[in-house]
């Protein structure tokens, strides 16, 4: 039984920017597919969080979490759920998704916390395993921002997997097989295939890009079969695919890259700047490779200057800096350089060289590093060298290095421009005419980037809007725009003094409370020791005859440095008094009584020596220190020094300030789609090639969903079982199937060594045996029929009073006793017509039916789905290849004779493979080499199960 419930981004979603999250219930296992979150500022503006409430409710009950991509819409809620909502199940993702996802979450968390106040988790929300957990007593309120430590801990928990490697899950998921496949779109992007022995295969395909890019190959790979896909993803029982771009037509990649580079070049050469908001990692890598190669091309090529444009200073052919402002950009590049084996495109092609491209997207000659003007020494990173990119941690560092009026290209995170640094740089550049805001994504709803995109979209012609296959035009911004700017400001003056005074009083209060707690603990421990040792000391003293009495000091209850006179006791006595000046007259004051400690015995050994546990502990530490080598001591010292250096100085007291800035928009905005996703034609082709048996459409809008469903209905040979659930709607596929386990006995296993046939990852064989139950085992064993003892006792001659071969009375009717009586499963009732009434006393109740012979097994069967297109591909891979062509629907003609008119062989070398019905195929032709090779390849695509 398969059940899918969209928790967000359903087939009827109102927005394409909703986070991605689906609940897949497969054989009683609850699997969460992705766990995204909306932008922090957009989340803070919402009034309800049904999606997050549902994830919090499900988190403790989940069996598995699969993360397919690294952008925030796929996984940014995972660290918070792991730290606060009790998510403890296994989590799987590819290694690039783990590392890039960590970078994305750290960048978002650090940027948001540096500007906005994050509410702490309430104390009444409980604690599980030392971590704060939301119990649901109070309704949730976003945004859900984890700490940096929680992000690291969450991603350290993820188990990394590799492409095309089947993984047998453990525990309650031991019956499931998980296989990841590349999906394109992002580095480490994954198609997840789950195989269940009872429910079939499920292929989760969200975030697909079938075309190759500069740093990635396309979906699955184009070298795997006639349709361009690996064997493992073909013909799934259930395909979960997104349909939101079914109405979109993408311009060619070369056209998009040319438009972007032309705009950057023209803007910089006109002495203006370009701001390009980008995500922290997934798509930033593609943009960095493209722009860095463009800078290399400009530095190595004699550039023609347009009339009226100022010439650059002598010796600077391309003086415009390429800058990126991000806290985590350098970490992202370091991680990417360690993941080159996961990449494709020019990254693998370049190796120690680089591929230089011009603005038209055409590849130039490969040149060794170090050639050309302005080039520096190369490295082993190839296209990931990024020697023209300059990294800055914050906008202040950027503006300090390059003043605001100097032309430059700035890549800043995040792409939504909801917080710094892209938001700050937008306010600095938007009021200058000639500057350009370059958008590569449409942005999420209720964000600044989406607002700018909407202005650009409204000004375009109908055929130039996004999704129409054309590149739009540059559009100037107009009017005024109010932008809320959040910042963290250090306290000064009276505010600082007030804060320090409150902090000092709080520390004193906490110290006094802790001292009282420690004093109470010491008093309780002393009372326990006194009460426990009184009887023991007296008994031992009487037995050994050795008692040592000692007087405790008056400060026995006092802590280190604590004055006894300041301690509080309940008993007041008269006695030594002194006059204390109080007020004008003064009065006599009384001292509180000193604590009196009764003398008590101390346990000693037979030689009068007491056992000092502390002495032994000190001696143990000394022995350990003496056993350490000089290298170990030096390593410890270096580690301590490193920890001291890494300790950050305490942050100065600060406050969070929000101010509203009114911008007079004078810059321009331009949009070019660089998300690296499929379009409508490609997703329809992909679905047709995969040939799923059932299909669920998710992450789509109503109009796009209907367009995709209409296409599938009108396509011959496509499945008609298409589901498009709305939000929180359950889709149930299949029925509950009871599965049973048994063990193959040694008698059967020994004869099956070379009879197994593989089919879609399974191994199939035909067996004939009987089930036997061994003592002390709950799992039955399948053994040969001759080795299984009968479960029904046969009647002997002595018991029946008859000779061998006598008949047994069954319900008053005589039946011949069968010698092969074995099990109760072989016993079948047979109706019998009675000629005359049978007397009640003549009925024997011990036997119930006659015995029938076991059914005979077929000689052999073929398992699989014969596709002539796949057979044609298999024939083309032979050595030498056998040409094949379709001669009509359901007929494939094979052999060199089909090219007789082109100089090929004549006559007798043609074989026809013809489908004549459901599950029936006919192979026609003269017996020869071609015939036997076609027959072998035909059988090779199926699982042949023989009973012999």
């Amino acid at each position: 039984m398969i059940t899918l419930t969209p928790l967000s981004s359903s087939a009827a979603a109102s927005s394409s920017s909703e986070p991605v999250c689906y609940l897949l219930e497969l054989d009683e296992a609850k699997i969460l597919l992705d766990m995204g979150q909306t932008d922090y500022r957009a989340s803070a503006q919402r009034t309800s969080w049904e999606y997050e409430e549902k994830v919090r409710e499900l988190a403790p009950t989940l069996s598995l979490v699969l993360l397919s991509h690294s952008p925030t819409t796929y996984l940014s809620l995972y660290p918070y759920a792991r730290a606060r909502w009790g998510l403890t199940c296994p989590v799987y993702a590819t290694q690039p998704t783990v590392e890039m996802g960590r970078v994305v979450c750290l960048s978002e968390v650090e940027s948001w916390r540096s500007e906005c106040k994050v509410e702490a988790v309430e104390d009444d929300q409980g604690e599980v395993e030392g971590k704060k957990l939301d119990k649901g007593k109070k309704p949730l309120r976003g945004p859900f921002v984890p700490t940096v430590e929680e992000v690291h801990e969450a991603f350290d928990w993820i188990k990394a997997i590799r492409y095309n490697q089947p993984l047998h899950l453990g525990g309650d998921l031991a019956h499931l097989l998980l296989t990841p496949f590349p999906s394109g779109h992002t580095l480490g992007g994954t198609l997840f295939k789950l195989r269940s022995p009872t429910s079939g295969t499920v292929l989760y395909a969200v975030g697909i890009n079938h075309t190759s890019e500069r740093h990635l190959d396309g979906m699955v790979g184009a070298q795997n079969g006639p349709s361009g896909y690996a064997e493992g993803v073909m013909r799934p029982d259930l395909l979960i695919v997104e349909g939101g771009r079914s109405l979109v037509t993408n311009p060619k990649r070369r056209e998009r890259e040319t438009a972007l580079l032309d705009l950057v070049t023209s803007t910089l050469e006109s002495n203006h700047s370009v701001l390009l908001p980008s995500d922290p990692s997934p798509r930033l890598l593609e943009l960095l490779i493209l722009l860095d190669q463009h800078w290399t091309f400009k530095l190595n090529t004699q550039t023609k200057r347009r009339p009226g444009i100022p010439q650059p200073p002598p010796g600077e052919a391309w003086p415009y800096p390429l800058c990126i402002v991000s806290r985590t950009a350098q970490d992202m590049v370091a991680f990417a350089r360690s993941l080159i084996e996961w990449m494709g495109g020019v990254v693998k092609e370049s190796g120690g060289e680089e591929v230089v491209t011009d603005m038209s997207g055409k590849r130039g000659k490969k040149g060794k590093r170090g050639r050309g003007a302005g080039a520096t020494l190369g490295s082993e990173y190839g296209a990931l060298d990024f020697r023209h990119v300059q990294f800055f941690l914050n906008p202040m560092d950027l503006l300090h290095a390059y003043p605001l009026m100097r032309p430059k290209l700035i890549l800043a995170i995040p792409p939504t421009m909801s917080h710094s640094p892209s938001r700050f740089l937008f306010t600095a550049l938007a009021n200058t005419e000639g500057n350009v805001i370059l958008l590569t994504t449409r942005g999420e709803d209720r964000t600044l980037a989406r607002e700018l995109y909407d202005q650009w979209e409204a000004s375009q012609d109908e055929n130039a809007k996004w999704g129409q296959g054309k590149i739009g035009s540059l559009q100037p911004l107009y009017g005024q725009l109010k932008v809320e700017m959040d910042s963290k400001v250090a306290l000064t003056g009276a505010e600082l003094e007030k804060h320090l005074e409150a902090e000092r009083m709080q520390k004193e209060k906490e110290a006094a409370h802790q001292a009282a707690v420690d004093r109470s603990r010491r008093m309780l421990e002393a009372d326990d020791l006194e009460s426990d040792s009184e009887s023991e000391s007296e008994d031992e003293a009487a037995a050994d005859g050795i008692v040592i009495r000692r007087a405790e000091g008056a400060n026995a209850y006092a802590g280190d440095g604590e004055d006894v006179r300041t301690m509080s006791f309940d008993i007041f006595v008269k006695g030594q008094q002194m006059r204390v000046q109080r007020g004008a007259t003064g009065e006599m004051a009384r001292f509180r009584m000193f604590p009196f400690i009764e003398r008590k015995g101390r346990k000693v050994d037979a030689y009068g020596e007491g056992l000092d546990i502390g002495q032994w502990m000190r001696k143990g530490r000394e022995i350990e220190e003496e056993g350490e080598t000089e290298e170990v001591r030096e390593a410890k010292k270096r580690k301590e020094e490193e920890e001291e250096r890494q300790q950050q100085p305490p942050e100065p007291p600060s406050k969070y300030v929000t101010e509203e800035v009114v911008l007079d928009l004078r810059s321009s905005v331009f949009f070019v789609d660089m998300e690296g996703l499929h379009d409508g034609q490609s997703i329809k082709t992909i679905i047709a090639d995969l040939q799923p048996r059932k299909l669920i459409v998710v992450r789509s809008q109503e109009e796009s969903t209907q367009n995709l469903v209409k296409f599938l209905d009108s396509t011959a040979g496509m499945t008609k079982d298409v589901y498009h659930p709305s939000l929180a709607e359950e889709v149930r596929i299949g029925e509950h199937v009871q599965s049973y386990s048994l063990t193959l006995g040694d008698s059967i296993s020994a004869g099956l060594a070379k009879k197994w046939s593989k089919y879609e990852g399974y191994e199939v064989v035909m067996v004939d045996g009987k089930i036997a139950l061994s003592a002390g085992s709950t799992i039955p064993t399948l053994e040969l029929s001759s080795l299984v003892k009968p479960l029904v006792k046969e009647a002997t001659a002595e018991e029946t009073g008859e000779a061998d071969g006598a008949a047994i009375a069954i319900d008053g009717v005589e039946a011949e006793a069968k010698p092969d009586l074995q099990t109760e499963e072989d016993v079948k009732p047979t109706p019998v017509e009675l000629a005359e009434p049978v007397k009640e006393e003549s009925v024997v109740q011990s036997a119930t039916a006659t015995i029938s012979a076991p059914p005979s097994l077929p000689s052999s069967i073929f398992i699989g789905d014969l596709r002539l297109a796949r057979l044609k591909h298999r024939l083309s891979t032979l050595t030498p290849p056998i040409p094949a062509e379709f001669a009509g629907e359901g007929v494939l003609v094979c052999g060199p004779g089909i090219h007789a008119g082109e100089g090929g062989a004549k006559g007798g070398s043609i074989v026809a493979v013809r489908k004549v019905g459901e599950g029936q195929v006919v192979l026609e032709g003269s017996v020869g080499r071609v015939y036997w090779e076609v027959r072998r390849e035909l059988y090779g695509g199926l699982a042949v199960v023989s009973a012999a």
Side-chain angles (χ1 to χ4, degrees), residues 914-935:
R914 188 190 312 274
K915 280 188 175 182
V916 296
E918 185 67 25
Q920 297 180 1
V921 64
V922 174
L923 184 63
E924 300 175 337
S926 301
V927 177
R929 183 189 68 86
V930 176
Y931 178 87
W932 291 113
E933 289 188 0
V934 172
R935 180 179 182 273

Side-chain angles (χ1 to χ4, degrees), residues 756-919:
W756 295 97
S757 297
K758 292 185 177 181
Y759 172 67
E760 291 189 356
Y762 295 104
E763 291 187 353
V764 187
V765 72
M766 188 178 296
V767 296
D768 179 17
K770 292 187 177 181
I771 295 175
L773 291 173
S774 58
S777 175
T778 59
I779 301 179
T781 304
L782 187 66
E783 297 282 3
L784 290 177
S785 303
S786 60
L787 300 181
V788 180
K789 295 181 179 180
L791 299 180
V792 179
K793 184 178 180 180
E794 294 184 7
T796 62
E798 291 79 4
E799 292 174 345
T800 58
E802 301 288 344
D804 293 340
I808 301 175
I810 302 175
D811 292 342
V813 182
E814 293 184 353
E816 183 179 359
K818 300 294 182 180
D820 58 347
L821 181 62
Q822 296 289 334
T823 63
E824 292 179 353
E825 282 110 10
D826 293 335
V827 180
K828 295 184 179 180
T830 302
V832 180
E833 291 186 12
L834 302 180
E836 57 183 13
V838 180
K839 297 181 179 180
E840 185 176 352
E841 57 268 20
S842 65
V843 178
V844 180
Q845 300 294 337
S846 59
T848 58
T850 57
I851 298 120
S852 60
S856 60
L857 295 174
S859 60
S860 62
I861 57 176
F862 292 83
I863 300 176
D865 183 17
L866 176 63
R867 299 189 64 194
L868 297 182
R870 188 163 300 279
L871 177 61
K872 178 183 177 182
H873 171 71
R874 292 171 66 94
L875 294 175
S876 64
T877 59
L878 297 177
T879 304
I882 297 178
E885 297 292 343
F886 286 99
E889 185 175 358
V891 180
L892 181 67
V893 181
C894 316
I898 62 176
H899 300 308
E902 303 174 7
K906 297 182 179 180
S909 58
I910 295 179
V911 177
V913 182
R914 188 190 312 274
K915 280 188 175 182
V916 296
E918 185 67 25

Side-chain angles (χ1 to χ4, degrees), residues 92 165-170 173-178:
Y92 289 95
Q165 291 188 0
L167 175 65
H168 291 275
L169 304 178
L173 306 175
H175 62 290
L176 298 180
L177 183 67
L178 174 66

Side-chain angles (χ1 to χ4, degrees), residues 457-632:
E457 179 84 355
S459 63
Q460 301 300 309
D461 296 336
E462 192 64 30
N463 59 350
K465 292 185 178 182
W466 175 76
Q468 301 300 320
K470 302 292 183 181
I471 303 293
S473 58
L474 186 67
Q475 175 63 31
L477 296 173
Y478 52 87
Q480 292 184 340
L481 180 65
K482 294 182 179 181
V483 179
E484 287 187 355
M485 297 298 297
D486 298 318
S487 59
K488 191 176 183 179
V489 182
L491 298 179
T492 57
E495 289 182 336
L496 179 59
E497 295 179 359
K498 183 178 179 181
H499 174 79
L500 294 177
E501 179 65 19
E503 195 176 48
R504 184 184 61 81
M505 295 181 63
Q506 180 66 21
K507 289 182 179 179
E508 291 179 355
K509 183 179 179 181
E510 292 177 356
H513 175 71
Q514 186 64 33
V517 171
D518 293 342
R519 185 166 56 247
S520 301
R521 178 180 53 80
R522 288 194 298 271
M523 295 177 66
L524 291 174
E525 290 177 355
D527 293 341
D528 292 340
L529 289 174
E530 180 181 357
S531 60
D532 293 342
S533 62
E534 280 181 356
S535 59
E536 296 178 2
S537 61
E538 293 176 358
D539 296 341
E540 292 179 359
D544 299 339
I546 302 176
V547 178
I548 298 178
R549 299 288 183 179
R550 66 182 180 89
E552 298 287 347
N555 61 343
Y557 295 131
D560 296 337
E562 186 174 2
D563 191 354
V564 179
R565 291 173 296 179
T566 63
M567 296 177 63
S568 175
F569 298 93
D570 296 333
I571 303 176
F572 294 84
V573 298
K574 295 180 181 180
Q576 183 182 3
Q577 298 178 349
M578 64 177 296
R579 185 177 299 277
V580 179
Q581 295 295 331
R582 291 187 179 179
T585 60
E587 60 181 7
M588 298 297 293
R590 298 181 298 179
F591 279 112
R592 295 183 178 181
M593 182 179 177
F594 277 38
F596 172 74
I597 306 302
E598 183 181 359
R599 293 182 178 181
K600 55 187 179 180
R602 183 179 62 176
K603 293 188 292 184
V604 297
D605 58 13
Y607 300 96
E609 179 67 25
L611 299 178
D612 189 355
I613 303 300
Q615 179 181 359
W616 289 102
M617 295 178 65
R618 290 191 297 272
K619 188 64 176 177
R621 287 194 296 268
E622 292 175 1
I623 294 174
E624 290 179 359
E625 293 176 358
E626 291 176 358
E628 291 179 353
T629 62
E630 187 66 25
E631 292 78 5
V632 174

Side-chain angles (χ1 to χ4, degrees), residues 122-190:
E122 290 79 2
D123 293 336
D124 61 351
Q125 288 179 328
E127 186 172 3
V128 174
E129 296 180 356
K131 301 177 183 177
K132 296 290 183 179
L133 296 178
D134 297 337
K135 288 186 177 180
K137 294 182 180 180
K138 296 182 179 180
L140 291 178
R141 180 175 179 82
F144 306 96
V145 186
T147 63
V148 173
E149 293 77 13
E150 290 170 350
V151 171
H152 282 296
E153 181 183 358
F155 281 93
D156 289 340
W157 176 262
I158 300 178
K159 299 178 181 179
I161 53 180
R162 299 189 65 86
Y163 287 149
N164 304 316
Q165 291 188 0
L167 175 65
H168 291 275
L169 304 178
D172 297 337
L173 306 175
H175 62 290
L176 298 180
L177 183 67
L178 174 66
T179 309
F181 296 96
S183 68
H185 177 47
T186 61
L187 181 61
T190 312

Side-chain angles (χ1 to χ4, degrees), residues 96 138 211 229 269 327 356 400 435 443 506 532 641 693 772:
K138 296 182 179 180
T211 60
Y229 308 110
E269 290 181 348
R327 295 172 180 262
V356 180
H400 179 74
N435 290 341
Q506 180 66 21
D532 293 342
E641 293 176 354
R693 293 179 173 86

